[in-house]
Amino acid sequence: MAATVTAAFRTVEPLEYYRRFLKENCRPDGRDLGEFRTTTINIGSITTADGSALLKLGNTTVICGIKAEFAAPAADSSNKGYIIPNVELPPLCSSRFRPGPPCEEAQAASQFIADVIENSQMIMKEDLCILDGKIVWVLYCDVICLDYDGNLLDACMCAFLAALKNVLLPVVAINAETGLMEVNLKEKNPLTIKKQPVATSFVLFDTLVVVDPTAEEEDLASGTLTIVTIEDDKLCSVHKPGGSTITEAKLQDCISRAKARHKEVQKLMDKVIKNV
């Protein structure tokens, strides 16, 4: 009977239901306010891709596949390749998404990854050049959400980084006599990843800040915040798309948590890659 009453209260007054937990510095799923859900990474999941990774963050599950192809460079960047991220949120992952063109949330996530690539300089696009002015690598990075339960940006960014670490590109040489490309599929090299950006997302409830929100928590929150960090405790970007304001002290707390999260993710990735 008590369980039925609790379930009804959660349905009718979801925000008040959450606030009662938050007052005790915990959440309905048992986590502390600053605690992430269990994170697991599996790389090389897609054998037909040049690099791939499957990531689970609690119930949120995303898979990233990277395909490398040849392309002509842009006229104003003759020695630079391309990295093109694309996030998909199919109806399969949640009832909130519908078939058709990419929804606003998917487009925002794609742009977020593109901005992180640019701001962090995680890969020098010059490293993707095969022959200046003639041919470069283009990396098509498709991130597909299989199960959506909040914190999409953290999950997508983490899966994307893990997939990049799994990429192996064949050695390409230009024949001096014929001028034609010669692709050596037996000899492959990993990408040179200069920086390893990690996203850490928070939601705001009144004066409280909660890390790694579920979909329900995101719906109830008054604001969101995503902090991207790179190695050596350096800040890459702070992304806050509207909502309620956050004090300087709370922001510094979030930055500290994001730096700690970076170390956690890096340790997890190193362990996974070592075991492959």
Side-chain angles (χ1 to χ4, degrees), residues 22-159:
L22 295 175
K23 286 177 183 177
E24 303 299 324
N25 289 319
C26 68
R27 294 188 256 182
D29 62 8
R31 287 186 291 154
D32 293 336
L33 305 190
E35 184 180 350
F36 267 80
R37 290 170 288 179
T38 300
T39 307
T40 59
I41 304 172
N42 180 31
I43 63 173
S45 313
I46 307 174
T47 57
T48 54
D50 294 299
S52 63
L54 175 71
L55 179 129
K56 283 182 66 69
L57 180 58
N59 290 329
T60 294
T61 306
V62 298
I63 191 166
C64 178
I66 299 178
K67 199 70 178 171
E69 295 183 4
F70 300 122
D76 57 348
S77 303
S78 64
N79 67 334
K80 294 182 180 180
Y82 309 90
I83 306 173
I84 303 176
N86 177 56
V87 176
E88 296 181 28
L89 294 170
L92 169 73
C93 73
S94 172
S95 59
R96 68 175 65 201
F97 304 118
R98 297 286 180 266
C103 64
E104 186 176 332
E105 192 168 352
Q107 293 179 57
S110 298
Q111 187 59 52
F112 173 80
I113 296 176
D115 291 342
V116 170
I117 293 169
E118 202 66 37
N119 294 334
S120 68
Q121 295 290 292
M122 60 188 301
I123 290 181
M124 303 305 293
K125 293 178 182 177
E126 291 86 350
D127 291 343
L128 299 176
C129 179
I130 298 171
L131 181 61
D132 193 342
K134 296 294 184 179
I135 192 159
V136 298
W137 286 110
V138 53
L139 303 181
Y140 293 102
C141 310
D142 291 313
V143 186
I144 303 172
C145 185
L146 305 178
D147 193 351
Y148 180 89
D149 188 23
N151 205 358
L152 179 69
L153 296 185
D154 289 20
C156 288
M157 194 64 230
C158 197

Side-chain angles (χ1 to χ4, degrees), residues 85-233:
N86 177 56
V87 176
E88 296 181 28
L89 294 170
L92 169 73
C93 73
S94 172
S95 59
R96 68 175 65 201
F97 304 118
R98 297 286 180 266
C103 64
E104 186 176 332
E105 192 168 352
Q107 293 179 57
S110 298
Q111 187 59 52
F112 173 80
I113 296 176
D115 291 342
V116 170
I117 293 169
E118 202 66 37
N119 294 334
S120 68
Q121 295 290 292
M122 60 188 301
I123 290 181
M124 303 305 293
K125 293 178 182 177
E126 291 86 350
D127 291 343
L128 299 176
C129 179
I130 298 171
L131 181 61
D132 193 342
K134 296 294 184 179
I135 192 159
V136 298
W137 286 110
V138 53
L139 303 181
Y140 293 102
C141 310
D142 291 313
V143 186
I144 303 172
C145 185
L146 305 178
D147 193 351
Y148 180 89
D149 188 23
N151 205 358
L152 179 69
L153 296 185
D154 289 20
C156 288
M157 194 64 230
C158 197
F160 170 64
L161 176 58
L164 280 178
K165 285 174 165 284
N166 184 236
V167 170
L168 290 173
L169 296 180
V171 172
V172 180
I174 305 298
N175 188 300
E177 296 180 0
T178 65
L180 298 176
M181 283 195 312
E182 295 178 350
V183 182
N184 186 349
L185 296 176
K186 294 182 179 180
E187 186 179 352
K188 296 185 177 183
N189 294 321
L191 291 172
T192 301
I193 300 175
K194 302 286 187 180
K195 301 294 181 184
Q196 299 185 47
V198 173
T200 304
S201 294
F202 307 81
V203 290
L204 311 178
F205 283 96
D206 303 324
T207 60
L208 297 175
V209 180
V210 175
V211 74
D212 182 24
T214 62
E216 186 176 19
E217 289 170 337
E218 287 177 342
D219 291 340
L220 296 173
S222 59
T224 61
L225 169 71
T226 299
I227 296 171
V228 181
T229 52
I230 52 178
E231 293 88 333
D232 302 323
D233 286 343

